[in-house]
Amino acid sequence: MLLPEVEVIRKDLEREVVGKRVKDVHVTRAGLVTRHRTRARFVAALRGRRLEGVTRHGVLLALRLDDESQLVVHLGALGSLRRETATMRPRPGTQLVATFTTGGALHYVDPGQDGEMFVAGAASEALAGLDPSGIDPLTDTFTWPAFSHRIKADGRTLRALLVDPAFLVGLGDLYADEILWTAGLSGGRSPSSLSSQEVRRLYRGVQEVVHEAVKQGGTSADGFEHQDLYGAPGAYGAQLKVHGRAGQPCPRCRQPIRDGRADDGTGFHCPQCQT
Ligand SMILES: [Zn+2]
């Protein structure tokens, strides 16, 4: 799950579950709560607790509980949270169902095996390690000085740098391609070759793409299906300029988009207006 999609879910959860008290929890895949010795211990840590807030640490979500502990949620690559009615039967792939005392339920649906959840006390070391090493473009740590300093000091190509979560959190191939197109830069460039004006363009490109993707409810496109808490697909997929659009005309200069993944690792890009 990429950064804009996790932020969309965080906002939905804030609106939908904060203030609710957990009635019961049912976990169907033990691996989901592997940090607890048994599923029953995980369930016991949640049952009867009121949800007080939702924060995001990179691509992890933390739901604060009324006993100062937190439910940490790592949505798998294909995982999704869904608000459902209390009587809704779980769909195939549902790994957790939480019901609330006031009615309604939250389902975690994931056909994969890479999602994880755990409850940790306020003083837990597990909570101390939540914050990512990379810069989060949706927070105020994403400053122009921090960005330009770290980008200039890196020896890799621009695209390799953008997809590295230790540099910027949760962009992935999809948003990296869109950011490079927005900035008019080739992903094969060396960061040290960028003029300060080009670094500025890239910085603005990151902001523009990430904020717009959140505003549009994330991306739902071929091979990348994202739905919000209510099951609505993300609308940013219709706004993708280059990613997944090989052979189609560039929206800026009409040259055909090229897929450079196999030969030079540049990703989807416009060979004419990204230099
Ligand atoms: Zn172009």
Side-chain angles (χ1 to χ4, degrees):
M1 193 66 70
L2 302 177
L3 183 71
E5 284 70 30
V6 177
E7 177 63 10
V8 169
I9 295 292
R10 188 198 67 76
K11 288 177 154 187
D12 287 348
L13 286 172
E14 201 160 65
R15 192 179 315 127
E16 197 59 49
V17 305
V18 168
K20 291 192 173 166
R21 195 173 287 281
V22 178
K23 185 177 173 194
D24 207 358
V25 179
H26 187 63
V27 179
T28 54
R29 184 176 76 84
L32 180 68
V33 295
T34 189
R35 293 200 199 202
H36 295 266
R37 212 178 309 151
T38 63
R39 277 183 256 190
R41 287 191 181 203
F42 171 79
V43 171
L46 285 175
R47 197 182 278 141
R49 298 269 69 90
R50 187 173 173 272
L51 297 163
E52 303 216 307
V54 191
T55 51
R56 193 177 51 73
H57 304 259
V59 293
L60 299 178
L61 292 167
L63 287 86
R64 206 170 62 253
L65 308 174
D66 61 353
D67 62 352
E68 299 298 311
S69 64
Q70 300 199 43
L71 166 63
V72 178
V73 178
H74 175 220
L75 297 164
L78 305 169
S80 62
L81 284 169
R82 242 3 133 62
R83 189 202 72 141
E84 302 287 5
T85 60
T87 51
M88 169 77 184
R89 282 186 53 201
R91 267 161 301 187
T94 300
Q95 298 185 2
L96 173 141
V97 173
T99 52
F100 300 105
T101 54
T102 46
L106 196 61
H107 289 202
Y108 175 66
V109 186
D110 188 356
Q113 306 279 313
D114 58 339
E116 199 199 343
M117 295 190 195
F118 61 91
V119 179
S124 165
E125 278 175 28
L127 292 180
L130 289 189
D131 279 313
S133 54
I135 309 173
D136 186 327
L138 287 170
T139 66
D140 42 13
T141 58
F142 184 60
T143 62
W144 160 247
F147 180 76
S148 60
H149 175 77
R150 284 176 78 160
I151 202 164
K152 286 279 189 178
D154 203 281
R156 293 169 289 177
T157 64
L158 269 188
R159 190 167 184 281
L161 188 57
L162 287 180
V163 298
D164 180 1
F167 175 59
L168 288 171
V169 173
L171 298 182
D173 292 344
L174 188 146
Y175 292 113
D177 287 349
E178 295 302 303
I179 289 163
L180 287 164
W181 182 87
T182 302
L185 294 169
S186 162
R189 288 278 295 275
S190 147
S192 61
S193 75
L194 298 180
S195 68
S196 55
Q197 197 192 8
E198 287 174 324
V199 178
R200 180 73 71 177
R201 259 171 28 210
L202 189 61
Y203 177 73
R204 287 207 188 111
V206 173
Q207 280 183 317
E208 202 177 305
V209 168
V210 171
H211 284 277
E212 188 59 23
V214 173
K215 203 169 133 194
Q216 298 291 330
T219 297
S220 197
D222 223 11
F224 189 86
E225 307 296 331
H226 167 76
Q227 290 161 352
D228 66 14
L229 205 63
Y230 312 95
Y236 196 69
Q239 290 192 27
L240 296 177
K241 309 294 194 294
V242 286
H243 190 84
R245 297 188 68 245
Q248 296 179 55
C250 167
R252 198 158 45 207
C253 73
R254 313 311 295 169
Q255 276 290 308
I257 301 296
R258 203 176 144 255
D259 177 1
R261 288 175 303 175
D263 35 283
D264 54 8
T266 48
F268 292 95
H269 65 283
C270 171
Q272 172 127 319
C273 65
Q274 287 179 248
T275 56

